[in-house]
Amino acid sequence: MNKTKIIFILMAFIAAGSLFTFCSSEKKQGTVLHLSYTINFKGDSITNKLDGLKWALSYLGAELKDSSFYRNCIPQKDNSIRVCFDSIGFSERALTVLKELTDSLKKSKEYQTKQSIDIGEFIALTIGTSKHYYAITNVFPTYGEFKAKYFTGNEKQFAVVASSVTHNNRKLLLHTDTMALKSAFVAEEGTGSLDSNTFKTELFEVFDVMSNGQLRFAVYNKEGELVDGSPSESGQAGKPAKCIWCHELFIQPLFKKTPDVSGYVSEQEFTAIVKSQMEIINAYRKQLKGAVDFSKTQEHTQMELLYISYMEPSIKKLSQEWGIKEQELSVILKYNQVHSFTEFPFLGELYHRSDLKKYTPFDINIPQSIRETSTNEPLFIKSIKTAGR
């Protein structure tokens, strides 16, 4: 018996035992959404979809303790997964936002027709839409409040004068602690030079640690106000979704050697500090009883494949999604440009979803990019005020 069949049997068993739980009740459905999926490449499976969804929900702050994920994220016969958000460890504040978001999505023509939205679309509208991500994860509304929560004046500072992320210098502030949940990190982007003391901060990129062990990201402008992400003119940092992609399992990677600057910790000291803090965070993660196994260091890739396959679909995916045979679809799209995804070449020839609007059965309001800032980001919620924790 293969792993996929075992997963279905396990899910059926859990679902049968969950008929009397709050979310399984047809009369009291709570915050429920059906997420449809497609099989996109050789070796793809429902197991991959569940693993990707698990990581996505975790990045949004869900605790996923014990077997709550498997009780409340149940595969259906129509190639969808029924997700009940009420019982997987979201905060009350997060549930308020998710309720408003799911209610809005259910009013769309797509959901009313299919009774579901694509699982990659869901990730695009939560992790990939910064205002939604900020509201669900309840980040601090201003940089001043983030700083007041963590900073003591004893933070270590590291100067990055040869950055692979920004066009200019970058200053890193590290608030370390023996408790993982008291750790906080800041990257200041700006103009001028750190070694000549002419650096002026224009942007604050921050992250701390959520109670479920995942990192939580936010970007603030020089006035300390939340913004969708770092603009392309300042570098490649992008939106929180890109921060997750880069920092998800190692808090402060250095991609290339950078010269030491007087008045700041050396590269050797910085590396030692980060290693020590990473050990503290890993120890904290190990004692959690959530569905995410942080030791499976590549499992998060399944989440990335979900949103990449959605934003940059193949003929195979579009055929399943739109109900048109692949051969017919190849003729319809023959004048549209294709590309490959460097990170995952096995996905084959891909299209940009934004180029396919005139063919799409439904008018879909999604961000132009998951990782990079762009104009006209979708906004399905009004409950975007955040308070931190």
Side-chain angles (χ1 to χ4, degrees):
M1 185 179 295
N2 63 36
K3 188 176 180 181
T4 300
K5 289 183 178 179
I6 293 172
I7 287 286
F8 271 114
I9 293 170
L10 175 63
M11 290 298 183
F13 177 77
I14 292 172
S18 303
L19 291 176
F20 301 103
T21 63
F22 176 78
C23 245
S24 295
S25 168
E26 291 300 321
K27 294 181 179 179
K28 294 183 178 181
Q29 288 208 348
T31 306
V32 176
L33 202 65
H34 285 250
L35 304 176
S36 56
Y37 63 86
T38 54
I39 301 301
N40 304 318
F41 50 86
K42 185 178 180 180
D44 199 8
S45 68
I46 176 59
T47 304
N48 293 345
K49 311 305 174 186
L50 291 167
D51 286 341
L53 177 61
K54 183 195 327 178
W55 277 83
L57 295 171
S58 181
Y59 285 138
L60 292 171
E63 298 284 350
L64 305 177
K65 287 185 177 178
D66 302 316
S67 58
S68 63
F69 174 79
Y70 300 102
R71 289 198 310 270
N72 294 283
C73 299
I74 308 297
Q76 308 295 296
K77 293 180 179 179
D78 61 350
N79 278 19
S80 72
I81 303 170
R82 181 177 182 271
V83 182
C84 171
F85 296 95
D86 300 68
S87 306
I88 53 178
F90 277 112
S91 69
E92 288 301 318
R93 182 183 289 272
L95 286 173
T96 299
V97 179
L98 286 164
K99 178 71 164 63
E100 189 173 355
L101 176 60
T102 56
D103 285 350
S104 294
L105 293 175
K106 286 178 179 178
K107 292 175 184 176
S108 69
K109 183 179 178 182
E110 178 187 10
Y111 201 94
Q112 291 183 356
T113 303
K114 296 166 48 182
Q115 291 302 298
S116 67
I117 65 165
D118 190 275
I119 191 169
E121 182 181 357
F122 170 75
I123 295 172
L125 290 172
T126 50
I127 294 173
T129 302
S130 297
K131 288 184 178 66
H132 293 170
Y133 171 81
Y134 289 154
I136 295 167
T137 58
N138 192 29
V139 300
F140 289 90
T142 67
Y143 177 66
E145 288 166 277
F146 178 90
K147 187 175 178 180
K149 169 68 178 181
Y150 295 111
F151 283 19
T152 63
N154 297 316
E155 285 68 38
K156 301 291 185 182
Q157 297 188 39
F158 179 62
V160 184
V161 295
S163 175
S164 58
V165 177
T166 64
H167 301 315
N168 304 306
N169 286 189
R170 204 176 197 216
K171 181 165 67 174
L172 305 183
L173 284 70
L174 298 85
H175 176 78
T176 59
D177 197 279
T178 55
M179 295 181 65
L181 299 187
K182 292 185 178 181
S183 303
F185 303 86
V186 176
E188 294 185 15
E189 294 194 19
T191 58
S193 169
L194 287 165
D195 56 6
S196 65
N197 203 30
T198 60
F199 182 79
K200 291 184 179 179
T201 303
E202 298 290 333
L203 207 66
F204 302 93
E205 300 153 358
V206 313
F207 66 87
D208 55 5
V209 184
M210 294 188 285
S211 58
N212 69 353
Q214 295 286 14
L215 306 180
R216 177 178 64 168
F217 298 88
V219 183
Y220 303 91
N221 61 21
K222 62 182 178 182
E223 287 79 28
E225 304 163 330
L226 278 170
V227 291
D228 288 344
S230 299
S232 57
E233 55 264 28
S234 69
Q236 302 179 57
K239 295 159 69 173
K242 193 172 186 180
C243 300
I244 291 172
W245 169 67
C246 188
H247 293 270
E248 53 206 341
L249 290 171
F250 193 76
I251 52 176
Q252 286 285 18
L254 282 181
F255 296 108
K256 63 181 180 181
K257 191 170 181 62
T258 183
D260 293 342
V261 176
S262 177
Y264 296 86
V265 299
S266 67
E267 182 177 344
Q268 185 177 3
E269 290 175 290
F270 173 79
T271 302
I273 291 168
V274 169
K275 180 182 177 183
S276 174
Q277 201 62 30
M278 196 68 245
E279 288 172 354
I280 290 169
I281 293 172
N282 281 337
Y284 174 76
R285 287 170 168 173
K286 284 179 182 178
Q287 54 87 36
L288 296 173
K289 295 182 179 180
V292 166
D293 184 348
F294 288 95
S295 71
K296 295 181 178 179
T297 56
Q298 293 305 309
E299 197 173 72
H300 65 83
T301 302
Q302 298 303 333
M303 187 275 291
E304 289 147 17
L305 287 170
L306 289 176
Y307 73 69
I308 291 167
S309 295
Y310 178 75
M311 297 296 288
E312 302 178 40
S314 63
I315 282 281
K316 183 178 179 66
K317 174 169 176 57
L318 291 171
S319 172
Q320 297 170 76
E321 197 179 315
W322 294 351
I324 302 174
K325 292 180 179 179
E326 289 185 38
Q327 190 173 1
E328 288 180 45
L329 206 48
S330 295
V331 175
I332 294 170
L333 301 179
K334 65 180 179 180
Y335 296 116
N336 290 80
Q337 189 173 357
V338 295
H339 66 279
S340 61
F341 199 93
T342 306
E343 196 179 341
F344 303 112
F346 61 83
L347 292 176
E349 291 187 337
L350 307 174
Y351 299 85
H352 289 290
R353 189 170 288 270
S354 57
D355 295 338
L356 305 179
K357 288 186 177 180
K358 66 180 180 180
Y359 309 104
T360 305
F362 308 105
D363 185 18
I364 300 171
N365 189 7
I366 55 173
Q368 185 176 339
S369 171
I370 302 292
R371 297 178 181 176
E372 310 298 342
T373 53
S374 59
T375 57
N376 301 320
E377 291 276 291
L379 186 62
F380 287 93
I381 60 173
K382 296 178 181 178
S383 310
I384 59 173
K385 291 183 179 179
T386 63
R389 59 163 171 77

